Amino acid sequence: MIGVYFSGTGNTKHCTEKLVHLLDETAQVIPIEVKETAEEIARQDFIILAYPVQYSNVPVIVRNYIKNHAALWKNKKVLCVATMGLFSGDGAGCSARLLKKYGAEVVGGLHILMPDSICDVKLLKRSPEKNRKIIRTADRKIEIWAEKIRQGRYPKNGLHFYDQIAGLLCQRLWFYGKTKDYSDQIKVNGACTGCGQCTRLCPMGNLSLKGSRAVSGNRCTMCYRCISACPAQAITLLGDKVVEQCRYDKYGSQ
Ligand SMILES: Cc1cc2nc3c(=O)[nH]c(=O)nc-3n(C[C@H](O)[C@H](O)[C@H](O)COP(=O)(O)O)c2cc1C
Ligand code: SF4
Ligand code: SF4
């Protein structure tokens, strides 16, 4: 078994590590953007694939990974895990359908409510205490399902037809344009000091330094990793001002 995840602000990384290590403490848990991930997946029968839901859809980097490694999924057992800030309809179902197309046996879907990761929009911002409570509830849900999975029972979150209708009607129909492809909407303002941290963190290599300022290309997968980490709070995407830098490590270890 192996855990493979994509995570912008740390929520999905935490959930994947917790679930996988409860099931098998010797199993590997690796980020999708690491080159060797495909070789490791090829060696395993059971894969836990996890990502943050974006507008009830799978982040482009993850969708493209699945498609670009189409041969990898045949006859693999996959549990699709989607973390979310509020609601994701068929967040797990979206990758499940794609994986089935490539021959995977999707054994289950798990949705986990976590703190919101959209640093530059006020909506869904909660107090640190509320975020810690959300994480405790998420951890409990993971523990309960780890126990059931050990007994051969799998969650089916997001896999039903009505979940698909909910995801479509509540989100994808209206916001499909946002997740159709990589984004060119990252903005870097004059507060940038040119420290280069964002360029090292971006999983897409979408940021680079030009002189003493970071500049963005058109391959952003909207993970908010750079925005949540920039020491000058100089980067925005959906909004125009950083409201709060959202990172799992701000709440998770307390
Ligand atoms: C661009 C974007 C879109 C999002 N859309 C949704 C959504 O449709 N529903 C939801 O519940 N959460 C949504 N979220 C919140 C994240 O899915 C959630 O906070 C997730 O746990 C972040 O995980 P990460 O820390 O691993 O990146 C969105 C986040 C981003 C950045
Ligand atoms: S992390 Fe922030 S301050 Fe540093 S280079 Fe990137 S945008 Fe500029
Ligand atoms: S530019 Fe920032 S938000 Fe976009 S993919 Fe890179 S790290 Fe993520």
Side-chain angles (χ1 to χ4, degrees), residues 133-168:
K133 195 170 167 215
I134 287 172
I135 292 170
R136 284 197 296 274
T137 307
D139 283 350
R140 187 74 196 114
K141 180 169 183 178
I142 293 169
E143 284 158 13
I144 290 168
W145 274 110
E147 185 55 40
K148 291 185 183 171
I149 291 169
R150 261 189 248 114
Q151 296 160 13
R153 291 158 61 203
Y154 291 88
K156 301 290 176 199
N157 301 163
L159 299 185
H160 302 105
F161 183 63
Y162 54 77
D163 296 322
Q164 191 175 344
I165 298 297
L168 187 68

Side-chain angles (χ1 to χ4, degrees), residues 118-123 125 227 233 236 240-246:
I118 307 180
C119 305
D120 53 1
V121 174
K122 275 197 185 135
L123 196 76
K125 293 301 157 291
I227 304 164
Q233 303 201 349
T236 54
D240 293 319
K241 192 175 180 313
V242 173
V243 177
E244 178 198 336
Q245 286 179 307
C246 313

